Amino acid sequence: MTSTIRDLLIILIGSSLVSNVVLSQFLGLCPFLGVSRKVETAAGMGAAVVFVITLASAVAGVIYRFVLVPLDITYLQTIVFILVIAALVQFVEMVLKKYMQGLYVALGVYLPLITTNCAVLGVALTNVQKNYGILAGIVNGFATAVGFLISIVILAGIREKMEHNDVPQSFQGMPIVLVTAGLMAIAFCGFAGLLRG
């Protein structure tokens, strides 16, 4: 029991901070760079990604374990995972459109892009490759999504502050954002010491 909790904590810290999906694995860069202009929008996108990745990890884990493996059709895992993710994103889009109209409009085209966000599919495939059980897969998915949320909100906060700075002409716009993201990736390397020893 204690080792299970310890293992889940290691997955939680490792996936959210040490192996951050955006800053260390470079997955999910499109929404990371596109929706990080304002903190509110970034937080909304991060929350949607947390919901989708966590739910996709759970559903994909159950389907893989109880359908694909017993029927010996694991070669279909990528197609099945993409279908699960697409259905979940459609669900999130309908909920946001009905109950959070402002956030739905602010996210715009980036909300359907969660379907093609390689981070979501990457988590489902990582859970299979690392032989995670359903609970460990859900924890990995949640932690990965929280890591995405942390990084996109930090970048959005920095971008809001940079609007008031005197940035050289050649660095204005996306170049300074990419430099900032690179510096964040270097900073997140410092978390690697958390899991040693």
Side-chain angles (χ1 to χ4, degrees):
M1 181 70 174
T2 309
S3 66
T4 304
I5 293 172
R6 195 179 114 253
D7 292 343
L8 292 177
L9 279 173
I10 288 172
I11 292 171
L12 191 68
I13 293 169
S15 295
S16 60
L17 297 175
V18 178
S19 297
N20 186 283
V21 69
V22 176
L23 300 174
S24 126
Q25 299 177 30
F26 307 112
L27 296 175
L29 288 176
C30 181
F32 175 70
L33 296 173
V35 189
S36 59
R37 292 174 197 256
K38 299 286 178 204
V39 172
E40 297 82 22
T41 311
M45 179 62 154
V49 167
V50 168
F51 178 76
V52 169
I53 288 183
T54 305
L55 207 55
S57 296
V59 174
V62 168
I63 289 173
Y64 182 80
R65 196 91 37 215
F66 297 111
V67 177
L68 299 180
V69 171
L71 295 176
D72 196 27
I73 53 172
T74 54
Y75 56 89
L76 293 175
Q77 69 188 9
T78 305
I79 295 169
V80 171
F81 293 166
I82 289 171
L83 292 174
V84 166
I85 292 163
L88 289 173
V89 170
Q90 281 298 114
F91 175 70
V92 169
E93 194 171 354
M94 289 187 303
V95 168
L96 288 180
K97 191 173 185 178
K98 184 159 177 81
Y99 298 108
M100 299 176 194
Q101 189 72 34
L103 181 59
Y104 175 78
V105 171
L107 291 175
V109 71
Y110 292 100
L111 187 59
L113 279 178
I114 296 176
T115 305
T116 59
N117 186 342
C118 52
V120 184
L121 180 60
V123 170
L125 293 174
T126 299
N127 290 342
V128 170
Q129 289 170 351
K130 291 191 174 182
N131 250 350
Y132 286 151
I134 294 172
L135 178 60
I138 293 169
V139 170
N140 182 49
F142 175 75
T144 301
V146 167
F148 179 87
L149 173 66
I150 290 168
S151 55
I152 196 171
V153 168
I154 290 172
L155 182 64
I158 294 171
R159 284 181 77 173
E160 282 185 359
K161 298 288 184 192
M162 279 193 302
E163 287 179 7
H164 307 294
N165 293 345
D166 187 24
V167 178
Q169 172 113 31
S170 58
F171 278 94
Q172 288 179 0
M174 196 51 68
I176 193 68
V177 174
L178 292 172
V179 169
T180 305
L183 292 172
M184 285 175 58
I186 292 169
F188 267 66
C189 287
F191 290 118
L194 285 174
L195 298 180
R196 291 191 186 133

